[in-house]
Amino acid sequence: MRELHLGQINIFLLFLYIYSFYLLRHNNNMSFFVLAISCFIKPYFLIFLMYFLYQKNMKAIILTIISVFMIGFFPLITYKFKVFIEQNYLWFNELKIEIFRQGSVSGDSNISLFSFIDKYFSIGLIDSIIIKKLLIISLCALFLLYFFNKTKILLTEELKLFYDFSMLCIFISLLTSNGKSVYILLMPSIFIISSIISKHNYFLIVLFSISSVILGLDIGDGGVYTKWIRTYYLLPSSGLILIICLLISLKKANLNYFSDPIPLSESLPLTK
């Protein structure tokens, strides 16, 4: 509610991602148009393009890129060509700033996975910030490949999409460095875990509770506890714990999963 009150754009981004995912589940090509819209706000959509590339879904990549160009040239209707070029130059510059936002892996405004690892698992032999970041990104990519293969083996095709989408949102939060508001993208994974959690799985309950408390206290106002969480860069740990929760829940996910309450045959006209 606090993030909504402040008008954080990441809430709108989350809406676009969820709606794009919803349309994708229903095999609607509008999914890629919605994803392309998010491109003009922040460049996080690139991680979804990487996922389509992993799936060898060239149709999704091509339609998304075409949608980006269609939306990108739409201002020509009202702008002169010179102004159009200037505005696009400014937009590309903003995207570049967003992607390379942090010059260092630590600092009060950097609460990403990079700052967390640098604080607790600092790689002393590597002085280059770029090499450190590339190493961490490479390890994350290897883990994602492992996770996608795991969901392919253990889950149904529809449920796999749920889990993969939620994991990608977690990594958007962990790998970007623009403050705590981006952690709103952990919500899909929180929804999944809270939906399939069993009262008999105490270990999962404890982990999930710890992650939720860290996330809630930092985004809200937990007084001295919030200050402690920020001082020790603990916010990324909420995402890392959720990753563990998703891994633990994989084997029982099919048993606890309840499908979309709206059958495909009764979907809204927009999703047909």
Side-chain angles (χ1 to χ4, degrees):
M1 288 300 297
R2 179 179 179 276
E3 296 302 299
L4 186 62
H5 175 71
L6 291 175
Q8 290 292 350
I9 195 63
N10 291 304
I11 294 178
F12 182 56
L13 275 178
L14 178 60
F15 165 74
L16 291 176
Y17 296 151
I18 290 176
Y19 190 50
S20 175
F21 154 76
Y22 173 78
L23 294 174
L24 182 63
R25 284 185 60 216
H26 293 78
N27 297 316
N28 191 316
N29 290 335
M30 277 294 294
S31 168
F32 312 117
F33 184 80
V34 174
L35 184 60
I37 294 174
S38 73
C39 151
F40 292 90
I41 302 173
K42 289 186 179 180
Y44 304 157
F45 85 113
L46 292 172
I47 196 170
F48 296 107
L49 289 186
M50 295 298 102
Y51 179 67
F52 294 146
L53 184 62
Y54 159 77
Q55 287 188 315
K56 299 179 181 178
N57 190 347
M58 299 309 297
K59 175 185 175 183
I61 296 174
I62 292 172
L63 288 178
T64 303
I65 293 175
I66 290 175
S67 298
V68 168
F69 276 100
M70 287 175 58
I71 300 171
F73 281 96
F74 186 78
L76 273 175
I77 298 175
T78 54
Y79 286 156
K80 293 181 179 179
F81 185 75
K82 182 180 178 181
V83 178
F84 169 76
I85 295 297
E86 290 175 351
Q87 291 299 317
N88 274 279
Y89 172 77
L90 293 173
W91 171 64
F92 277 115
N93 191 52
E94 287 299 320
L95 288 184
K96 183 177 68 174
I97 292 173
E98 190 67 38
I99 293 173
F100 302 103
R101 188 169 182 127
Q102 292 296 329
S104 64
V105 293
S106 61
D108 293 337
S109 62
N110 190 329
I111 46 176
S112 66
L113 182 62
F114 303 114
S115 57
F116 182 79
I117 291 178
D118 188 59
K119 185 173 182 64
Y120 294 103
F121 309 97
S122 181
I123 307 172
L125 298 176
I126 303 176
D127 295 326
S128 172
I129 294 173
I130 296 178
I131 294 178
K132 280 185 179 181
K133 286 192 172 185
L134 288 176
L135 179 60
I136 293 171
I137 291 173
S138 299
L139 291 174
C140 291
L142 289 174
F143 172 79
L144 284 173
L145 289 175
Y146 163 79
F147 183 82
F148 295 153
N149 287 327
K150 201 78 173 175
T151 55
K152 185 177 182 179
I153 295 172
L154 297 175
L155 304 179
T156 62
E157 184 176 349
E158 187 178 77
L159 191 51
K160 170 181 168 56
L161 189 58
F162 266 110
Y163 268 77
D164 291 353
F165 168 78
S166 299
M167 185 61 75
L168 290 171
C169 285
I170 290 177
F171 273 93
I172 290 175
S173 300
L174 291 177
L175 296 177
T176 54
S177 313
N178 65 341
K180 62 186 178 182
S181 62
V182 75
Y183 280 84
I184 196 73
L185 296 177
L186 295 184
M187 294 306 295
S189 56
I190 289 175
F191 171 77
I192 285 183
I193 299 300
S194 62
S195 298
I196 60 93
I197 202 166
S198 169
K199 64 180 180 180
H200 301 296
N201 195 332
Y202 300 112
F203 181 64
L204 184 57
I205 291 174
V206 170
L207 285 179
F208 181 63
S209 300
I210 292 173
S211 177
S212 299
V213 166
I214 293 173
L215 182 65
L217 285 177
D218 194 83
I219 289 184
D221 187 9
V224 65
Y225 301 106
T226 298
K227 185 177 180 180
W228 183 68
I229 289 170
R230 293 174 183 174
T231 301
Y232 294 99
Y233 298 105
L234 293 182
L235 190 54
S237 67
S238 62
L240 294 173
I241 293 173
L242 281 176
I243 289 174
I244 297 173
C245 290
L246 287 175
L247 284 171
I248 293 174
S249 66
L250 278 179
K251 290 185 178 180
K252 295 185 178 180
N254 284 320
L255 299 176
N256 295 299
Y257 170 64
F258 50 90
S259 61
D260 189 340
I262 304 177
L264 293 182
S265 59
E266 300 176 13
S267 296
L268 297 172
L270 183 60
T271 63
K272 286 185 178 179

